[in-house]
């Protein structure tokens, strides 16, 4: 079924106002956005309109009761200048998993994809092409009932906007193992990209920042003995440049698409990758014995965020210098080259627009 989208173009592009060599992450928005509402379970006419403020009721259900979910993905230009997406169907499926967990409606995959493609196509001049840059895409859905009372909203909006971005974490980051606060535990919604999961991370992260760290490593809610993830990245640990460990998908961590891409690329290359429970003691012992040759977070924004040091019980364990990180450097190059069409897409991850 063809989906027709009503398009209202901006009378005046803002693109000339921005310096593409100097982009601050998440602060610049392209000319247009996509919107489709779901009223009483029925998806309405989708539209693309100029990026701008939206009007909401003070009683907007999403604000009070937290039915609000999002995605993060990127568009790139290939060497011929054609826009392309990276594994977009994975993001669409994940948004719908988040929606299901939060009691929100499922958006038809074709509706999401068509909105995404037409939006990126229209704003393709906003896709930066400098090394490490991309057009970051933010799809999200939120409850729109103007009603006070805890029940699932009857009405929702789904929207997408775009931000041109450079690479996210330019320097390797200092992380600290968090043992007081918990991000998610069994039966909660750790696997959902639900707004509330990020709200609860603000205070613990701010406390770590006060002590000079960039991020925290979450531990499991029952024992605080196993590592889970860090900020908006999944974690990988490399032992002697051979064995690679990453926490298994236990419902408490976000099922990262970059995580999945890294695992597949590493296994194809012949590395052993173990997805399992990883105790923090195992990581610290490896660091003490100089066997922890690399550690990094993976996520769409940064692709790879190298870890400079891990703080645990008051001691900072330093990792080898960034240039010597064989695994993370190799992964970053491979993923970015595939995303930008500079390397053959043998795994069929790229979708032309
Ligand atoms: C989005 C996110 C990730 C990374 O997922 P990608 O699909 O690789 O971008 C990891 N952890 C959390 C908590 C996230 O929100």
């Amino acid at each position: 079924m063809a989906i027709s989208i009503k398009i209202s173009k901006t009378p005046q592009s803002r693109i000339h106002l921005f310096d593409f060599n100097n982009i601050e992450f998440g602060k610049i928005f392209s000319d247009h956005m996509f919107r489709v509402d779901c009223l009483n379970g029925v998806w309405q006419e989708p539209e693309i309109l100029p990026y701008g403020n939206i009007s909401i009721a003070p009683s907007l259900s999403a604000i009070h009761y937290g039915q609000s979910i999002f995605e993060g993905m990127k568009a790139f230009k290939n060497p011929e200048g054609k826009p392309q997406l990276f594994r977009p169907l994975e993001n669409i499926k994940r948004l719908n998993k988040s929606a299901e967990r939060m009691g929100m409606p499922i958006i038809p995959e074709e509706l999401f994809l068509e909105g995404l493609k037409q939006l990126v196509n229209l704003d393709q001049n906003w896709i930066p092409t400098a090394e490490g840059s991309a057009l970051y895409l933010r799809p999200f859905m939120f409850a729109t009932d103007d009603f006070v009372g805890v029940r699932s909203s009857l009405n929702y909006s789904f929207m997408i906007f775009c931000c041109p971005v450079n690479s996210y974490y330019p320097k390797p980051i200092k992380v600290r193992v968090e043992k007081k606060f918990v991000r998610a535990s069994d039966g909660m919604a750790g696997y959902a990209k639900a707004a509330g999961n990020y709200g609860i991370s603000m205070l613990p992260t701010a406390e770590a920042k006060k002590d000079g760290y960039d991020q925290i490593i979450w531990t499991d809610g029952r024992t605080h003995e196993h590592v889970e993830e860090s900020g908006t990245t999944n974690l990988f640990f490399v032992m002697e440049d051979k064995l690679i460990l990453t926490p298994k998908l236990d419902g408490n961590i976000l099922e990262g698409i970059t995580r999945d891409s890294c695992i597949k690329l590493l296994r194809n290359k012949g590395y052993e990758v173990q997805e399992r429970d990883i105790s923090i003691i195992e990581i610290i012992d490896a660091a003490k014995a100089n066997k922890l040759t690399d550690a990094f977070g993976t996520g769409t924004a940064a692709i790879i965020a190298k870890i400079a040091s891990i703080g645990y019980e008051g001691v900072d364990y330093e990792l080898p210098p960034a240039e010597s990180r064989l695994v993370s450097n190799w992964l970053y190059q491979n993923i970015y080259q595939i995303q930008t069409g500079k390397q053959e897409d043998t795994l069929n991850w790229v979708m032309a627009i």
Side-chain angles (χ1 to χ4, degrees):
M1 188 190 68
I3 291 168
S4 80
I5 301 177
K6 183 181 153 203
I7 299 183
S8 318
K9 285 194 196 166
T10 179
Q12 171 94 66
S13 172
R14 290 176 283 104
I15 198 162
H16 62 279
L17 298 175
F18 298 110
D19 173 8
F20 274 75
N21 297 316
N22 204 347
I23 312 172
E24 253 189 286
F25 192 99
K27 287 204 175 166
I28 296 169
F29 305 99
S30 74
D31 282 328
H32 298 92
M33 60 187 186
F34 174 78
R35 174 171 188 164
V36 59
D37 293 337
C38 184
L39 308 180
N40 282 306
V42 181
W43 289 95
Q44 308 292 307
E45 190 192 7
E47 58 177 329
I48 288 175
L49 61 167
Y51 177 87
N53 290 353
I54 54 174
S55 165
I56 55 169
S59 57
L60 187 91
S61 179
I63 296 175
H64 301 271
Y65 309 115
Q67 280 181 305
S68 180
I69 57 176
F70 65 97
E71 272 302 321
M73 53 204 300
K74 281 177 172 173
F76 305 85
K77 274 186 178 166
N78 71 10
E80 288 78 54
K82 295 263 184 298
Q84 58 188 31
L85 302 167
F86 182 70
R87 308 189 71 185
L89 301 177
E90 302 302 319
N91 293 91
I92 296 175
K93 291 200 182 87
R94 189 170 66 191
L95 181 97
N96 278 333
K97 270 181 94 167
S98 300
E100 187 196 25
R101 177 64 184 83
M102 301 302 286
M104 299 166 74
I106 300 301
I107 181 164
E109 292 187 2
E110 355 25 292
L111 175 58
F112 185 148
L113 186 61
E114 194 57 30
L116 188 70
K117 282 180 157 182
Q118 290 203 25
L119 178 64
V120 173
N121 189 44
L122 184 63
D123 280 355
Q124 60 177 275
N125 291 340
W126 289 84
I127 305 176
T129 51
E131 174 69 25
S133 66
L135 187 66
Y136 184 80
L137 310 170
R138 170 52 58 91
F140 59 112
M141 194 200 295
F142 58 100
T144 55
D145 279 10
D146 50 344
F147 170 76
V148 175
V150 180
R151 61 141 170 79
S152 200
S153 181
L154 301 173
N155 303 298
Y156 296 84
S157 286
F158 172 83
M159 302 183 69
I160 310 173
F161 62 76
C162 322
C163 308
V165 296
N166 282 324
S167 54
Y168 192 43
Y169 294 113
K171 288 205 301 271
I173 56 172
K174 287 184 70 178
V175 297
R176 177 167 80 183
V177 176
E178 175 61 51
K179 287 200 138 196
K180 183 166 88 176
F181 294 105
V182 176
R183 177 181 175 276
S185 200
D186 292 354
M188 292 174 67
Y191 66 86
K193 241 174 151 70
N197 285 341
Y198 304 85
I200 62 171
S201 75
M202 302 298 175
L203 173 68
T205 308
E207 290 194 351
K209 285 194 174 154
K210 249 190 276 165
D211 295 337
Y213 297 91
D214 301 300
Q215 263 302 343
I216 54 182
I217 290 187
W218 295 106
T219 51
D220 70 284
R222 260 175 306 165
T223 67
H224 287 304
E225 280 170 11
H226 298 105
V227 298
E228 294 209 315
E229 57 184 324
S230 179
T232 52
T233 63
N234 295 109
L235 290 173
F236 285 75
F237 301 94
V238 182
M239 303 297 177
E240 298 181 278
D241 283 328
K242 286 199 299 273
L243 171 64
I244 296 157
L245 308 178
T246 191
K248 67 169 194 263
L249 302 178
D250 58 357
N252 294 330
I253 63 170
L254 213 282
E255 302 180 4
I257 296 158
T258 320
R259 174 189 180 278
D260 182 73
S261 304
C262 288
I263 292 173
K264 291 194 166 116
L265 288 173
L266 289 166
R267 286 188 178 148
N268 280 354
K269 177 91 175 159
Y271 282 107
E272 181 182 354
V273 183
Q274 294 180 358
E275 298 174 72
R276 59 166 167 86
D277 284 339
I278 301 168
S279 81
I280 184 65
I281 296 295
E282 178 178 4
I283 299 304
I284 297 301
D285 283 348
K288 282 182 187 163
N290 291 323
K291 288 184 175 164
L292 186 64
T293 43
D294 198 351
F296 53 92
T298 66
T300 295
I303 307 181
I304 302 285
K306 289 176 199 169
I307 293 176
S309 65
I310 303 176
Y312 179 64
E313 295 186 338
V315 182
D316 289 331
Y317 297 89
E318 302 288 333
L319 272 73
E323 315 78 62
S324 73
R325 308 287 187 90
L326 295 177
V327 172
S328 52
N329 290 332
W330 180 81
L331 276 174
Y332 177 83
Q333 280 307 322
N334 267 265
I335 293 180
Y336 190 67
Q337 304 277 323
I338 294 171
Q339 289 174 329
T340 52
K342 292 182 188 121
Q343 184 171 310
E344 204 193 338
D345 175 30
T346 52
L347 293 155
N348 238 327
W349 283 344
V350 168
M351 184 185 282
I353 286 178

